[in-house]
Amino acid sequence: MMEHQNNLRPFAQVMVWITSFAAVALPVLTIMIWIYIKDLGVSSGTVSPQYDLTSLSLTARLLGFVICFIGAGIMTYGLLALRRTFQEAAAGRGLSLTAVVNFRRFALVTLITVFYGILQNTLLSIVFTMGRPGQETQLSIMLGTPEVKALFTALLFVFVAHIFAAGRKAEEENAQFL
C-alpha cells in the first residue's frame, strides 16, 4: 500500500462523517422548512421579497414541499454515493472500482442537480404566486452567476470522475505487470 493512501485515511474518515450528516440533514431540513414555512416567512435566499410565504395555501405548501423534496432526494442520493467513495478511501481502497463508480455517480448527480435547481426555482416561482388574490401567477426563470458557477463545478466533478476512472485503469494495468 502506498504511503499517501495511509495519510488520506483520517481525512477520508472525517469526510464519511460529514457526508453522512449532510445526507441525513438535507431531507430533514427540507421537511422542517416546509412544516414551519409560515413561521419562517422566507424559505431560502432564492425567494424574492415580493413573495408573501406566510399566506401560502395548504396546496401551495404541499406542492412546494414536493418540488423541494425531490431536489433534496436527488442530492441525498449523490451524497450517499460520495460517502461510499470516502468509505473506500478510509479503508485504503481509494482507487477501487466501488470508489470510482460512486464518485462518478456523485458527479453525475451533481450535474443533474444544477439543471433541477433551475427547474425547481422556476416551479417555486409559480407555487409562491398561485392563488394570490387580485394578482396573476408569475413565472420566473433564473439563470445567473450562481447557476453558471454550479454548472462549472459539476462539470469539474465529471471531469475528475473520468480522471479517477483513468487512474483506476492505470492501477489495474500496473498490477498486471507485477
Side-chain angles (χ1 to χ4, degrees), residues 144-164:
T145 303
E147 290 80 16
V148 172
K149 287 188 329 187
L151 177 61
F152 279 107
T153 301
L155 290 172
L156 175 65
F157 286 153
V158 171
F159 180 73
V160 169
H162 287 289
I163 292 173
F164 206 0

Side-chain angles (χ1 to χ4, degrees), residues 9 107 165-166 172:
R9 284 180 172 194
E172 285 178 349

Side-chain angles (χ1 to χ4, degrees), residues 99-170:
V100 171
V101 166
N102 280 286
F103 188 80
R104 182 173 280 171
R105 186 172 294 146
F106 166 74
L108 291 174
V109 166
T110 302
L111 187 58
I112 290 167
T113 60
V114 171
F115 296 107
Y116 186 77
I118 295 168
L119 176 64
Q120 176 178 300
N121 287 337
T122 302
L123 293 174
L124 287 176
S125 74
I126 296 169
V127 169
F128 291 158
T129 59
M130 64 186 237
R132 293 188 318 179
Q135 294 182 330
E136 293 182 12
T137 301
Q138 297 176 0
L139 172 66
S140 173
I141 301 172
M142 293 181 261
L143 181 62
T145 303
E147 290 80 16
V148 172
K149 287 188 329 187
L151 177 61
F152 279 107
T153 301
L155 290 172
L156 175 65
F157 286 153
V158 171
F159 180 73
V160 169
H162 287 289
I163 292 173
F164 206 0
R168 163 112 179 109
K169 186 175 181 181

Side-chain angles (χ1 to χ4, degrees), residues 1-12 89-94:
M1 179 177 303
M2 294 179 259
E3 184 61 35
H4 67 278
Q5 284 185 345
N6 286 331
N7 294 337
L8 291 177
R9 284 180 172 194
F11 177 69
R93 299 182 303 266

Side-chain angles (χ1 to χ4, degrees), residues 24-37 40 61 65 68-69 72:
V24 171
L26 185 60
V28 169
L29 287 174
T30 301
I31 292 168
M32 298 305 291
I33 285 170
W34 284 95
I35 288 174
Y36 296 108
I37 196 163
L40 295 173
R61 286 178 34 203
F65 167 74
C68 289
F69 200 73

